[in-house]
Each structure stands twice: as structure tokens, then as C-alpha cells.
């Protein structure tokens, strides 16, 4: 029974996590009126979207100790066993910096959560979004990256 419960739970959480990525992918851009200057603007827009779509979440409430450092995901979804971090790509140098940040965050977030989502809002600097996403996802199981273009 426990195995069946776990398989069902994991099946549901991966479906809802996939819906979460789809919601951000398809609805985030419509909520942003002017070009954002700070990551917090994207976080606020995502929080509004999460409220409207009725997700159960915490914002910057969970701190994860990893090695000698502490990590705080922007959003956590305990019922989905998922964490999410938001990144803003607002300059040419941001693209490589964001890749480094994501790669640093993954092991810490995966130490507590089964699924990790990165929502990257790009104001026009990530030329090949498919390569950006696939490069991270193919080497990290249960990690999802979505790039939303302004």
C-alpha cells in the first residue's frame, strides 16, 4: 500500500509541477507590463500568478543548509515536493551568471526537494533558449527550466 501511495503521490506532484511550469511559461509574460529592472518584480508577478492559480506555496520561507552555506529558494511547494527560483536576465553578462547560479543552487535544492524549477525572465539576451534549457535539464533529473521572453 505504501508503494502505491508513493507512486500516486509522485505522479500527482510531477503532474502539478509540470502544470506550474506551463502556467509560468504561458501566463507570466502577460502579467508584466513594463521591462523589469529587478528580479523582485518577476517574483511578485509570479506570486500573483500562483495566488490566482491557487497553488499552495511559501515565499522565501525555507532555508536549506548545504555544506557551509545556506540557500533560500524564492518559492517552495511542500505538497508538491518542489522548490522554485526566479532569475532575471537583464544584460549580456547575466546569461552566464544565471547558469552558474542555477548550477550552484541545484544540489542544495535537491537535498530537500524532489523537483526543482527555475523560471528565467529574459529581456532579450538569451539567444538560444532551447540550448540554455536543455543544457541544464539534460544533466539534472527532475530539474525544469523555463525561459520567458519579454
Amino acid at each position: 500500500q505504501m508503494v502505491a501511495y508513493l507512486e500516486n503521490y509522485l505522479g500527482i506532484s510531477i503532474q502539478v509541477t509540470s502544470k506550474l511550469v506551463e502556467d509560468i511559461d504561458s501566463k507570466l509574460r502577460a502579467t508584466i507590463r513594463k521591462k523589469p529592472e529587478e528580479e523582485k518584480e518577476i517574483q511578485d508577478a509570479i506570486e500573483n500568478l500562483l495566488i490566482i492559480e491557487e497553488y499552495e506555496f511559501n515565499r522565501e520561507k525555507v532555508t536549506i543548509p548545504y555544506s557551509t552555506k545556506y540557500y533560500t529558494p524564492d518559492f517552495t511547494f511542500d505538497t508538491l515536493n518542489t522548490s522554485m527560483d526566479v532569475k532575471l536576465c537583464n544584460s549580456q553578462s547575466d546569461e552566464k551568471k544565471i547558469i552558474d547560479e542555477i548550477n550552484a543552487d541545484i544540489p542544495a535544492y535537491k537535498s530537500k526537494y524532489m523537483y526543482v524549477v527555475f523560471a528565467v525572465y529574459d529581456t532579450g539576451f538569451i539567444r538560444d533558449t532551447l540550448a540554455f534549457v536543455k543544457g541544464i535539464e539534460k544533466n539534472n533529473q527532475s530539474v525544469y527550466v523555463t525561459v520567458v521572453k519579454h
Side-chain angles (χ1 to χ4, degrees), residues 79-93:
T79 57
L80 301 179
N81 202 359
T82 300
S83 68
M84 179 168 62
D85 225 27
V86 177
K87 307 289 183 188
L88 173 62
C89 187
N90 224 357
S91 71
Q92 199 64 56
S93 62

Side-chain angles (χ1 to χ4, degrees), residues 106-120:
I106 289 171
Y109 294 172
K110 293 283 281 179
S111 73
K112 182 164 175 64
Y113 293 96
M114 178 165 288
Y115 305 106
V116 180
V117 175
F118 292 96
V120 180

Side-chain angles (χ1 to χ4, degrees), residues 127-139:
R127 199 173 43 81
D128 190 344
T129 55
L130 190 61
F132 182 94
V133 169
K134 292 296 175 214
I136 295 165
E137 287 184 346
K138 89 173 159 81
N139 294 311

Side-chain angles (χ1 to χ4, degrees), residues 1-2 8 22 34 40 44 49 51 54 67 77 80 86 109 123 125 127 133 146-147:
Q1 276 187 325
M2 187 62 169
N8 186 45
E22 283 175 32
K34 63 180 181 64
K40 186 181 181 312
D44 291 346
L49 183 65
I51 291 166
E54 298 183 345
S67 187
F77 308 83
L80 301 179
V86 177
Y109 294 172
T123 60
F125 297 94
R127 199 173 43 81
V133 169
T146 181
V147 177

Side-chain angles (χ1 to χ4, degrees), residues 45-101:
I46 288 177
E47 183 171 9
N48 292 339
L49 183 65
L50 295 174
I51 291 166
I52 290 166
E53 295 296 325
E54 298 183 345
Y55 286 95
E56 286 180 42
F57 68 94
N58 288 302
R59 181 167 175 183
E60 296 176 340
K61 290 259 192 311
V62 176
T63 301
I64 304 166
Y66 185 79
S67 187
T68 58
K69 195 172 170 188
Y70 289 89
Y71 293 79
T72 304
D74 295 321
F75 298 95
T76 52
F77 308 83
D78 291 338
T79 57
L80 301 179
N81 202 359
T82 300
S83 68
M84 179 168 62
D85 225 27
V86 177
K87 307 289 183 188
L88 173 62
C89 187
N90 224 357
S91 71
Q92 199 64 56
S93 62
D94 281 352
E95 182 178 359
K96 289 181 178 31
K97 187 183 84 180
I98 289 169
I99 292 168
D100 290 343
E101 288 174 3

